[in-house]
Amino acid sequence: MDFSAFFASLQSTLGKHIPGILGALAILIVGWVIAVLVRAGVRKGLALLDVNSRISETAHEKMDVEKGIAVGVFWLVMLVTLIGVFNTLNLELVSDPFRAMLRQVLGYLPRLVAGGLLLVIGWMLAMALRALVGKVLASTTWDKKISESAGMEPMSKTIGNVLFWLTILLFVPATLGVLDLQGLLQPVQGMLDKTLAMVPNIFAAIVIAFVGWLIAKVLRGLVTNLLAA
């Protein structure tokens, strides 16, 4: 077998494509390096903000949000890299679907950022409200007395948690609307309407329970004094 003829034929066939192949390989390597660096930078930045600890503390469950965001950014950079590789190789039939996907992702990115900002604002407001209510209720003596009498956690903690999740729930419909997730928006909006409709009854029940506790305390003192007499 004449290998020289084979290599000569191979060289003549691939000769004009070798620069494109080398260029595509260089783009792939450089893009991968940039994607890795960006992923590491995003994860380090989120770690400095202590995102995982804050979210885990709020949700009472360990969550690795930092890794998820970093992986998403990594593959976004890799998507741009793959488009450049296929364009260099003149494979438009392969790069066109990736280009359409990238266009959709970039078009949806402003909605995603706006939705994330809404969630962050809602979370900060909920945290501030829970801390304020807890501090105000904890400064009184009746909270501790009722909790000890009922054998339960302090009412300041319970009420603070209820207000926290209610505030988060108020921001969920706005966030889903910004993200244009209409399929999830309607049931969540219906649940929120029902929850808000229950708030007056819950408030009335709390008032009745408090008044009942006061009356029971007065009656206990009266009965104790009568029996002592």
Side-chain angles (χ1 to χ4, degrees):
M1 182 176 181
D2 190 0
F3 287 100
S4 60
F6 171 75
F7 285 116
S9 176
L10 184 64
Q11 183 178 3
S12 62
T13 303
L14 297 179
K16 60 181 179 180
H17 298 293
I18 289 178
I21 295 174
L22 294 177
L25 184 61
I27 292 175
L28 181 61
I29 294 174
V30 173
W32 179 79
V33 171
I34 293 175
V36 171
L37 293 176
V38 171
R39 175 176 175 173
V42 169
R43 191 162 187 177
K44 185 175 181 180
L46 294 176
L48 291 176
L49 296 175
D50 206 12
V51 174
N52 277 349
S53 298
R54 295 177 186 274
I55 294 179
S56 299
E57 180 183 357
T58 302
H60 301 289
E61 184 178 352
K62 188 175 181 180
M63 302 177 65
D64 194 355
V65 179
E66 299 172 2
K67 181 179 179 181
I69 296 176
V71 170
V73 174
F74 171 83
W75 285 110
L76 182 61
V77 176
M78 286 302 300
L79 180 61
V80 177
T81 302
L82 290 176
I83 293 174
V85 170
F86 292 134
N87 286 337
T88 303
L89 296 174
N90 294 323
L91 297 176
E92 285 78 10
L93 291 177
V94 181
S95 65
D96 286 344
F98 287 100
R99 189 181 295 109
M101 184 189 304
L102 179 63
R103 191 179 299 112
Q104 291 180 356
V105 171
L106 294 180
Y108 194 75
L109 194 59
R111 290 180 175 273
L112 193 61
V113 173
L117 288 176
L118 275 177
L119 282 180
V120 171
I121 293 173
W123 176 76
M124 293 178 63
L125 182 61
M127 289 286 290
L129 184 61
R130 182 170 65 178
L132 178 62
V133 171
K135 186 176 181 180
V136 171
L137 294 179
S139 62
T140 61
T141 57
W142 65 269
D143 179 30
K144 183 178 180 180
K145 291 181 179 179
I146 293 178
S147 302
E148 291 178 351
S149 300
M152 55 185 295
E153 291 185 346
M155 293 293 294
S156 58
K157 183 177 180 180
T158 303
I159 295 176
N161 288 331
V162 170
L163 291 177
F164 173 86
W165 289 111
L166 183 60
T167 304
I168 294 294
L169 185 60
L170 291 175
F171 276 83
V172 169
T175 303
L176 294 177
V178 170
L179 296 176
D180 198 22
L181 299 176
Q182 300 299 327
L184 294 175
L185 177 59
Q186 294 179 359
V188 171
Q189 186 66 51
M191 181 180 63
L192 179 60
D193 293 339
K194 292 181 180 179
T195 303
L196 292 178
M198 292 172 57
V199 169
N201 295 331
I202 295 175
F203 180 75
I206 293 175
V207 173
I208 293 172
F210 179 69
V211 173
W213 175 77
L214 290 178
I215 295 175
K217 186 175 182 181
V218 172
L219 291 177
R220 184 183 67 176
L222 179 61
V223 172
T224 301
N225 290 329
L226 286 176
L227 292 176

